Amino acid sequence: MPAIVGVAQVITLGSSSVFHIGDVYKIMPLSTAKTFSGAGSFNTGESLLLHNNISSTNTADSDVIDQGIALNA
């Protein structure tokens, strides 16, 4: 459905971000990333109390290839 869009101010866009206004057929990523982090790495808040006495992050990836992006151009 068509739309009338006024002024759009874009300050910054990341390297793998998408800026979209109006109708679109498909939006596909052109990059991927995999993040490994230990216990409590992404916690946010004012008062956190974490007890990670014995902690390890398993980074073994036996399947080698995850979801490919070869045909997303």
Side-chain angles (χ1 to χ4, degrees), residues 4-67:
I4 298 173
V5 179
V7 176
Q9 180 180 10
V10 178
I11 304 299
T12 60
L13 285 175
S15 61
S16 62
S17 60
V18 174
F19 179 71
H20 159 249
I21 294 178
D23 296 340
V24 65
Y25 174 68
K26 62 181 173 180
I27 297 176
M28 298 175 136
L30 295 178
S31 67
T32 60
K34 184 183 289 189
T35 303
F36 298 105
S37 62
S41 295
F42 297 117
N43 289 333
T44 58
E46 293 181 9
S47 59
L48 293 173
L49 181 60
L50 302 174
H51 296 284
N52 295 324
N53 296 332
I54 300 173
S55 176
S56 66
T57 302
N58 183 8
T59 59
D61 188 9
S62 61
D63 63 351
V64 180
I65 297 174
D66 293 324
Q67 182 175 350

